[in-house]
Amino acid sequence: MRRLLTVFLALAMLAAMAMNVSALTEVSSMQSFVSVSADGNCQISIAMTLRLDQAVDKLYFPVPAQAAGVSVNGARVSATKDGDVRNINLSRFVKNMTGDFSLNIQYTLRDVIAATEEGILQLQVPLLCGFAHSVENLYLSVTLPGEVPVRPSFSSGYHQTAVEEYLNCSVEGAVITVRSLRPMKDHETLTMTMAVSEDMLSRLLPEQELALLTLLIVIRLISQISIVKSLQLLIL
């Protein structure tokens, strides 16, 4: 009987420890505002409430590796590149403290509009890059320099394109609004992709418009040459 009681108490302690670890850190709310400018770059501002039930010594938030001008609450911070991401060091904002913390992270991404191999102009924006802790409520607002041409698609690390079942997406004019219908898991990634029309090129700077048009022409010429060569091989 005593042995069973000891085993029961040990299991209860392990369960309690597991609960404490899972509640160690979570994002109770995250609001991301993405503004795509006329030059094909975008400014991202993330306002989140971070909940700490236990004090931590180190905490990092990942952003895309190409992120520039990174700041937290208006202050420049260090960010270490690790593969496809840069890890922002949040430690000095939360070190050895508990409670709810309001953090505002800002950075810029360049060239989020590019031509695919098929010559299609595509907007692609990484929205989540694998933060180690869950996000209870996610809100996204993406503003384009012109009318949204088509409904965007979303993919995630855990669910791939099926993540769209857990997102409520609406489009009004030049603004795309997304709300999560369930918490986003820890280490989750989320990317928005959308084809844009060539009409948006007229909103770019002249040199950028020329560069993109040249790239589109080259891609289409290569595609046509490949088709001709294939036909010649078939004839031979």
Side-chain angles (χ1 to χ4, degrees), residues 43-46 61-81 85-90 92-93 104-109:
Q43 178 70 35
I44 296 181
S45 178
I46 301 173
F61 185 83
V63 297
Q66 67 272 29
V70 180
S71 68
V72 178
N73 292 352
R76 289 296 180 95
V77 292
S78 61
T80 305
K81 188 173 180 180
V85 301
R86 293 179 65 195
N87 290 311
I88 301 174
N89 191 347
L90 300 178
R92 67 179 169 127
F93 299 96
N104 189 291
I105 300 172
Q106 294 186 334
Y107 56 91
T108 300
L109 294 179

mmCIF file of all heavy atoms in Angstrom, residues 43-46 61-81 85-90 92-93 104-109:
data_model
loop_
_atom_site.group_PDB
_atom_site.id
_atom_site.type_symbol
_atom_site.label_atom_id
_atom_site.label_comp_id
_atom_site.label_asym_id
_atom_site.label_seq_id
_atom_site.Cartn_x
_atom_site.Cartn_y
_atom_site.Cartn_z
ATOM 1 N N GLN A 43 6.634 46.564 -44.244
ATOM 2 C CA GLN A 43 6.926 46.874 -42.847
ATOM 3 C C GLN A 43 6.009 46.020 -41.983
ATOM 4 O O GLN A 43 4.791 45.978 -42.212
ATOM 5 C CB GLN A 43 6.696 48.356 -42.556
ATOM 6 C CG GLN A 43 6.919 48.761 -41.105
ATOM 7 C CD GLN A 43 8.383 48.712 -40.700
ATOM 8 O OE1 GLN A 43 9.248 49.007 -41.506
ATOM 9 N NE2 GLN A 43 8.650 48.340 -39.462
ATOM 10 N N ILE A 44 6.588 45.332 -41.010
ATOM 11 C CA ILE A 44 5.810 44.462 -40.132
ATOM 12 C C ILE A 44 5.915 44.954 -38.694
ATOM 13 O O ILE A 44 7.011 45.224 -38.194
ATOM 14 C CB ILE A 44 6.288 43.000 -40.223
ATOM 15 C CG1 ILE A 44 6.054 42.463 -41.637
ATOM 16 C CG2 ILE A 44 5.569 42.122 -39.192
ATOM 17 C CD1 ILE A 44 6.472 41.018 -41.832
ATOM 18 N N SER A 45 4.764 45.081 -38.045
ATOM 19 C CA SER A 45 4.703 45.492 -36.645
ATOM 20 C C SER A 45 3.882 44.455 -35.883
ATOM 21 O O SER A 45 2.731 44.180 -36.240
ATOM 22 C CB SER A 45 4.068 46.879 -36.512
ATOM 23 O OG SER A 45 3.959 47.256 -35.149
ATOM 24 N N ILE A 46 4.481 43.859 -34.870
ATOM 25 C CA ILE A 46 3.836 42.802 -34.082
ATOM 26 C C ILE A 46 3.636 43.299 -32.653
ATOM 27 O O ILE A 46 4.597 43.628 -31.959
ATOM 28 C CB ILE A 46 4.686 41.516 -34.066
ATOM 29 C CG1 ILE A 46 4.913 41.016 -35.489
ATOM 30 C CG2 ILE A 46 4.024 40.440 -33.213
ATOM 31 C CD1 ILE A 46 5.888 39.837 -35.570
ATOM 32 N N PHE A 61 12.728 35.363 -29.956
ATOM 33 C CA PHE A 61 11.591 35.385 -30.878
ATOM 34 C C PHE A 61 12.142 35.380 -32.305
ATOM 35 O O PHE A 61 12.886 36.285 -32.691
ATOM 36 C CB PHE A 61 10.740 36.638 -30.648
ATOM 37 C CG PHE A 61 9.490 36.679 -31.479
ATOM 38 C CD1 PHE A 61 8.348 36.013 -31.064
ATOM 39 C CD2 PHE A 61 9.456 37.373 -32.685
ATOM 40 C CE1 PHE A 61 7.186 36.038 -31.826
ATOM 41 C CE2 PHE A 61 8.304 37.407 -33.456
ATOM 42 C CZ PHE A 61 7.164 36.730 -33.018
ATOM 43 N N PRO A 62 11.776 34.371 -33.119
ATOM 44 C CA PRO A 62 12.330 34.275 -34.474
ATOM 45 C C PRO A 62 11.568 35.128 -35.487
ATOM 46 O O PRO A 62 10.341 35.203 -35.472
ATOM 47 C CB PRO A 62 12.184 32.782 -34.787
ATOM 48 C CG PRO A 62 10.981 32.355 -34.007
ATOM 49 C CD PRO A 62 10.962 33.195 -32.762
ATOM 50 N N VAL A 63 12.327 35.761 -36.377
ATOM 51 C CA VAL A 63 11.781 36.507 -37.514
ATOM 52 C C VAL A 63 12.519 36.034 -38.759
ATOM 53 O O VAL A 63 13.535 35.348 -38.659
ATOM 54 C CB VAL A 63 11.951 38.036 -37.319
ATOM 55 C CG1 VAL A 63 11.162 38.513 -36.112
ATOM 56 C CG2 VAL A 63 13.426 38.407 -37.177
ATOM 57 N N PRO A 64 12.041 36.349 -39.964
ATOM 58 C CA PRO A 64 12.741 35.910 -41.175
ATOM 59 C C PRO A 64 14.201 36.360 -41.195
ATOM 60 O O PRO A 64 14.534 37.436 -40.690
ATOM 61 C CB PRO A 64 11.938 36.562 -42.303
ATOM 62 C CG PRO A 64 10.571 36.733 -41.725
ATOM 63 C CD PRO A 64 10.780 37.057 -40.290
ATOM 64 N N ALA A 65 15.054 35.537 -41.784
ATOM 65 C CA ALA A 65 16.488 35.824 -41.801
ATOM 66 C C ALA A 65 16.808 37.150 -42.474
ATOM 67 O O ALA A 65 17.784 37.814 -42.133
ATOM 68 C CB ALA A 65 17.238 34.674 -42.485
ATOM 69 N N GLN A 66 15.972 37.553 -43.457
ATOM 70 C CA GLN A 66 16.238 38.796 -44.189
ATOM 71 C C GLN A 66 15.647 40.032 -43.510
ATOM 72 O O GLN A 66 15.713 41.141 -44.074
ATOM 73 C CB GLN A 66 15.704 38.697 -45.622
ATOM 74 C CG GLN A 66 14.185 38.627 -45.741
ATOM 75 C CD GLN A 66 13.647 37.209 -45.659
ATOM 76 O OE1 GLN A 66 14.240 36.351 -45.016
ATOM 77 N NE2 GLN A 66 12.538 36.956 -46.341
ATOM 78 N N ALA A 67 15.098 39.872 -42.315
ATOM 79 C CA ALA A 67 14.517 41.015 -41.602
ATOM 80 C C ALA A 67 15.586 42.067 -41.310
ATOM 81 O O ALA A 67 16.692 41.752 -40.889
ATOM 82 C CB ALA A 67 13.868 40.543 -40.306
ATOM 83 N N ALA A 68 15.229 43.335 -41.540
ATOM 84 C CA ALA A 68 16.159 44.438 -41.302
ATOM 85 C C ALA A 68 15.514 45.471 -40.389
ATOM 86 O O ALA A 68 14.288 45.561 -40.292
ATOM 87 C CB ALA A 68 16.551 45.091 -42.628
ATOM 88 N N GLY A 69 16.351 46.252 -39.712
ATOM 89 C CA GLY A 69 15.841 47.309 -38.834
ATOM 90 C C GLY A 69 14.994 46.775 -37.694
ATOM 91 O O GLY A 69 13.957 47.360 -37.360
ATOM 92 N N VAL A 70 15.428 45.680 -37.077
ATOM 93 C CA VAL A 70 14.636 45.038 -36.017
ATOM 94 C C VAL A 70 14.685 45.863 -34.733
ATOM 95 O O VAL A 70 15.750 46.295 -34.288
ATOM 96 C CB VAL A 70 15.165 43.617 -35.733
ATOM 97 C CG1 VAL A 70 14.333 42.957 -34.641
ATOM 98 C CG2 VAL A 70 15.160 42.775 -37.000
ATOM 99 N N SER A 71 13.515 46.088 -34.133
ATOM 100 C CA SER A 71 13.433 46.793 -32.853
ATOM 101 C C SER A 71 12.353 46.172 -31.984
ATOM 102 O O SER A 71 11.407 45.554 -32.484
ATOM 103 C CB SER A 71 13.137 48.284 -33.068
ATOM 104 O OG SER A 71 11.831 48.466 -33.588
ATOM 105 N N VAL A 72 12.505 46.326 -30.676
ATOM 106 C CA VAL A 72 11.512 45.862 -29.700
ATOM 107 C C VAL A 72 11.190 47.030 -28.773
ATOM 108 O O VAL A 72 12.095 47.603 -28.152
ATOM 109 C CB VAL A 72 12.034 44.659 -28.885
ATOM 110 C CG1 VAL A 72 10.992 44.236 -27.839
ATOM 111 C CG2 VAL A 72 12.370 43.490 -29.803
ATOM 112 N N ASN A 73 9.923 47.393 -28.707
ATOM 113 C CA ASN A 73 9.475 48.539 -27.902
ATOM 114 C C ASN A 73 10.276 49.795 -28.236
ATOM 115 O O ASN A 73 10.624 50.594 -27.354
ATOM 116 C CB ASN A 73 9.576 48.213 -26.412
ATOM 117 C CG ASN A 73 8.574 47.159 -25.982
ATOM 118 O OD1 ASN A 73 7.701 46.767 -26.746
ATOM 119 N ND2 ASN A 73 8.711 46.672 -24.760
ATOM 120 N N GLY A 74 10.598 49.955 -29.512
ATOM 121 C CA GLY A 74 11.294 51.152 -29.976
ATOM 122 C C GLY A 74 12.799 51.122 -29.838
ATOM 123 O O GLY A 74 13.476 52.048 -30.285
ATOM 124 N N ALA A 75 13.344 50.058 -29.247
ATOM 125 C CA ALA A 75 14.792 49.969 -29.041
ATOM 126 C C ALA A 75 15.404 48.922 -29.960
ATOM 127 O O ALA A 75 14.821 47.847 -30.161
ATOM 128 C CB ALA A 75 15.102 49.629 -27.587
ATOM 129 N N ARG A 76 16.554 49.217 -30.518
ATOM 130 C CA ARG A 76 17.256 48.240 -31.346
ATOM 131 C C ARG A 76 17.716 47.077 -30.478
ATOM 132 O O ARG A 76 18.150 47.268 -29.335
ATOM 133 C CB ARG A 76 18.466 48.890 -32.034
ATOM 134 C CG ARG A 76 18.088 49.873 -33.132
ATOM 135 C CD ARG A 76 17.362 49.143 -34.262
ATOM 136 N NE ARG A 76 16.972 50.040 -35.324
ATOM 137 C CZ ARG A 76 17.699 50.241 -36.423
ATOM 138 N NH1 ARG A 76 18.855 49.609 -36.567
ATOM 139 N NH2 ARG A 76 17.270 51.056 -37.355
ATOM 140 N N VAL A 77 17.645 45.876 -31.037
ATOM 141 C CA VAL A 77 18.013 44.681 -30.283
ATOM 142 C C VAL A 77 18.918 43.806 -31.128
ATOM 143 O O VAL A 77 18.965 43.924 -32.355
ATOM 144 C CB VAL A 77 16.760 43.875 -29.857
ATOM 145 C CG1 VAL A 77 15.947 44.634 -28.830
ATOM 146 C CG2 VAL A 77 15.913 43.524 -31.067
ATOM 147 N N SER A 78 19.625 42.912 -30.455
ATOM 148 C CA SER A 78 20.480 41.970 -31.169
ATOM 149 C C SER A 78 19.642 40.820 -31.701
ATOM 150 O O SER A 78 18.663 40.407 -31.084
ATOM 151 C CB SER A 78 21.574 41.430 -30.243
ATOM 152 O OG SER A 78 21.000 40.739 -29.139
ATOM 153 N N ALA A 79 20.028 40.316 -32.867
ATOM 154 C CA ALA A 79 19.321 39.192 -33.480
ATOM 155 C C ALA A 79 20.355 38.291 -34.144
ATOM 156 O O ALA A 79 21.135 38.756 -34.985
ATOM 157 C CB ALA A 79 18.288 39.676 -34.490
ATOM 158 N N THR A 80 20.361 37.027 -33.777
ATOM 159 C CA THR A 80 21.350 36.080 -34.283
ATOM 160 C C THR A 80 20.748 35.235 -35.387
ATOM 161 O O THR A 80 19.682 34.639 -35.213
ATOM 162 C CB THR A 80 21.845 35.163 -33.149
ATOM 163 O OG1 THR A 80 22.329 35.962 -32.063
ATOM 164 C CG2 THR A 80 22.953 34.253 -33.649
ATOM 165 N N LYS A 81 21.425 35.177 -36.533
ATOM 166 C CA LYS A 81 20.927 34.393 -37.657
ATOM 167 C C LYS A 81 21.106 32.908 -37.396
ATOM 168 O O LYS A 81 22.155 32.456 -36.963
ATOM 169 C CB LYS A 81 21.649 34.791 -38.946
ATOM 170 C CG LYS A 81 21.042 34.156 -40.189
ATOM 171 C CD LYS A 81 21.669 34.685 -41.463
ATOM 172 C CE LYS A 81 21.039 34.041 -42.694
ATOM 173 N NZ LYS A 81 21.635 34.544 -43.952
ATOM 174 N N VAL A 85 15.990 31.877 -40.150
ATOM 175 C CA VAL A 85 15.433 32.874 -39.222
ATOM 176 C C VAL A 85 16.548 33.662 -38.539
ATOM 177 O O VAL A 85 17.723 33.289 -38.580
ATOM 178 C CB VAL A 85 14.550 32.215 -38.135
ATOM 179 C CG1 VAL A 85 13.397 31.458 -38.760
ATOM 180 C CG2 VAL A 85 15.384 31.304 -37.239
ATOM 181 N N ARG A 86 16.137 34.770 -37.938
ATOM 182 C CA ARG A 86 16.989 35.517 -37.020
ATOM 183 C C ARG A 86 16.282 35.529 -35.678
ATOM 184 O O ARG A 86 15.095 35.862 -35.591
ATOM 185 C CB ARG A 86 17.216 36.950 -37.510
ATOM 186 C CG ARG A 86 18.022 37.050 -38.779
ATOM 187 C CD ARG A 86 18.177 38.497 -39.200
ATOM 188 N NE ARG A 86 18.967 39.246 -38.230
ATOM 189 C CZ ARG A 86 19.033 40.576 -38.185
ATOM 190 N NH1 ARG A 86 18.304 41.297 -39.021
ATOM 191 N NH2 ARG A 86 19.789 41.182 -37.305
ATOM 192 N N ASN A 87 16.990 35.136 -34.624
ATOM 193 C CA ASN A 87 16.399 35.060 -33.294
ATOM 194 C C ASN A 87 16.622 36.363 -32.536
ATOM 195 O O ASN A 87 17.761 36.741 -32.234
ATOM 196 C CB ASN A 87 17.008 33.891 -32.517
ATOM 197 C CG ASN A 87 16.565 32.550 -33.060
ATOM 198 O OD1 ASN A 87 15.372 32.321 -33.269
ATOM 199 N ND2 ASN A 87 17.503 31.648 -33.303
ATOM 200 N N ILE A 88 15.513 37.046 -32.253
ATOM 201 C CA ILE A 88 15.576 38.296 -31.487
ATOM 202 C C ILE A 88 15.689 37.961 -30.009
ATOM 203 O O ILE A 88 14.894 37.182 -29.470
ATOM 204 C CB ILE A 88 14.315 39.143 -31.722
ATOM 205 C CG1 ILE A 88 14.151 39.475 -33.203
ATOM 206 C CG2 ILE A 88 14.374 40.420 -30.903
ATOM 207 C CD1 ILE A 88 12.855 40.184 -33.517
ATOM 208 N N ASN A 89 16.638 38.576 -29.344
ATOM 209 C CA ASN A 89 16.838 38.341 -27.919
ATOM 210 C C ASN A 89 15.892 39.226 -27.104
ATOM 211 O O ASN A 89 16.039 40.448 -27.066
ATOM 212 C CB ASN A 89 18.293 38.633 -27.553
ATOM 213 C CG ASN A 89 18.637 38.151 -26.151
ATOM 214 O OD1 ASN A 89 17.756 37.814 -25.365
ATOM 215 N ND2 ASN A 89 19.920 38.117 -25.834
ATOM 216 N N LEU A 90 14.894 38.581 -26.473
ATOM 217 C CA LEU A 90 13.916 39.312 -25.658
ATOM 218 C C LEU A 90 14.258 39.285 -24.172
ATOM 219 O O LEU A 90 13.499 39.802 -23.347
ATOM 220 C CB LEU A 90 12.517 38.713 -25.853
ATOM 221 C CG LEU A 90 11.930 38.721 -27.265
ATOM 222 C CD1 LEU A 90 10.566 38.047 -27.261
ATOM 223 C CD2 LEU A 90 11.824 40.140 -27.808
ATOM 224 N N ARG A 92 16.240 40.771 -22.050
ATOM 225 C CA ARG A 92 16.331 41.950 -21.185
ATOM 226 C C ARG A 92 14.986 42.583 -20.882
ATOM 227 O O ARG A 92 14.852 43.387 -19.961
ATOM 228 C CB ARG A 92 17.257 42.989 -21.808
ATOM 229 C CG ARG A 92 16.765 43.633 -23.094
ATOM 230 C CD ARG A 92 17.800 44.658 -23.537
ATOM 231 N NE ARG A 92 17.580 45.167 -24.863
ATOM 232 C CZ ARG A 92 17.509 46.461 -25.145
ATOM 233 N NH1 ARG A 92 17.594 47.344 -24.172
ATOM 234 N NH2 ARG A 92 17.353 46.859 -26.389
ATOM 235 N N PHE A 93 13.959 42.206 -21.648
ATOM 236 C CA PHE A 93 12.624 42.771 -21.419
ATOM 237 C C PHE A 93 11.824 41.958 -20.391
ATOM 238 O O PHE A 93 10.838 42.457 -19.858
ATOM 239 C CB PHE A 93 11.852 42.844 -22.727
ATOM 240 C CG PHE A 93 12.495 43.723 -23.755
ATOM 241 C CD1 PHE A 93 13.321 43.182 -24.730
ATOM 242 C CD2 PHE A 93 12.294 45.099 -23.748
ATOM 243 C CE1 PHE A 93 13.922 43.986 -25.686
ATOM 244 C CE2 PHE A 93 12.898 45.917 -24.688
ATOM 245 C CZ PHE A 93 13.722 45.352 -25.655
ATOM 246 N N ASN A 104 6.318 45.113 -28.516
ATOM 247 C CA ASN A 104 6.046 45.548 -29.882
ATOM 248 C C ASN A 104 7.313 45.349 -30.706
ATOM 249 O O ASN A 104 8.319 46.012 -30.466
ATOM 250 C CB ASN A 104 5.608 47.013 -29.912
ATOM 251 C CG ASN A 104 5.098 47.426 -31.285
ATOM 252 O OD1 ASN A 104 5.861 47.521 -32.232
ATOM 253 N ND2 ASN A 104 3.805 47.669 -31.374
ATOM 254 N N ILE A 105 7.235 44.434 -31.656
ATOM 255 C CA ILE A 105 8.386 44.085 -32.493
ATOM 256 C C ILE A 105 8.163 44.633 -33.897
ATOM 257 O O ILE A 105 7.092 44.434 -34.481
ATOM 258 C CB ILE A 105 8.574 42.559 -32.548
ATOM 259 C CG1 ILE A 105 8.804 42.020 -31.133
ATOM 260 C CG2 ILE A 105 9.728 42.175 -33.468
ATOM 261 C CD1 ILE A 105 8.800 40.500 -31.050
ATOM 262 N N GLN A 106 9.165 45.319 -34.414
ATOM 263 C CA GLN A 106 9.057 45.892 -35.756
ATOM 264 C C GLN A 106 10.272 45.524 -36.594
ATOM 265 O O GLN A 106 11.395 45.473 -36.074
ATOM 266 C CB GLN A 106 8.921 47.415 -35.684
ATOM 267 C CG GLN A 106 7.633 47.896 -35.052
ATOM 268 C CD GLN A 106 7.477 49.405 -35.135
ATOM 269 O OE1 GLN A 106 8.448 50.140 -35.218
ATOM 270 N NE2 GLN A 106 6.229 49.871 -35.127
ATOM 271 N N TYR A 107 10.038 45.286 -37.878
ATOM 272 C CA TYR A 107 11.136 45.028 -38.800
ATOM 273 C C TYR A 107 10.635 45.188 -40.234
ATOM 274 O O TYR A 107 9.422 45.296 -40.478
ATOM 275 C CB TYR A 107 11.737 43.627 -38.601
ATOM 276 C CG TYR A 107 10.758 42.480 -38.705
ATOM 277 C CD1 TYR A 107 10.517 41.845 -39.920
ATOM 278 C CD2 TYR A 107 10.075 42.024 -37.577
ATOM 279 C CE1 TYR A 107 9.631 40.783 -40.006
ATOM 280 C CE2 TYR A 107 9.193 40.962 -37.657
ATOM 281 C CZ TYR A 107 8.971 40.344 -38.874
ATOM 282 O OH TYR A 107 8.086 39.291 -38.962
ATOM 283 N N THR A 108 11.571 45.208 -41.164
ATOM 284 C CA THR A 108 11.258 45.404 -42.574
ATOM 285 C C THR A 108 11.714 44.184 -43.377
ATOM 286 O O THR A 108 12.770 43.612 -43.096
ATOM 287 C CB THR A 108 11.967 46.661 -43.126
ATOM 288 O OG1 THR A 108 11.530 47.799 -42.385
ATOM 289 C CG2 THR A 108 11.647 46.867 -44.600
ATOM 290 N N LEU A 109 10.900 43.782 -44.350
ATOM 291 C CA LEU A 109 11.266 42.727 -45.288
ATOM 292 C C LEU A 109 11.325 43.329 -46.688
ATOM 293 O O LEU A 109 10.430 44.070 -47.096
ATOM 294 C CB LEU A 109 10.235 41.589 -45.268
ATOM 295 C CG LEU A 109 10.121 40.771 -43.984
ATOM 296 C CD1 LEU A 109 9.041 39.708 -44.138
ATOM 297 C CD2 LEU A 109 11.447 40.118 -43.626
#
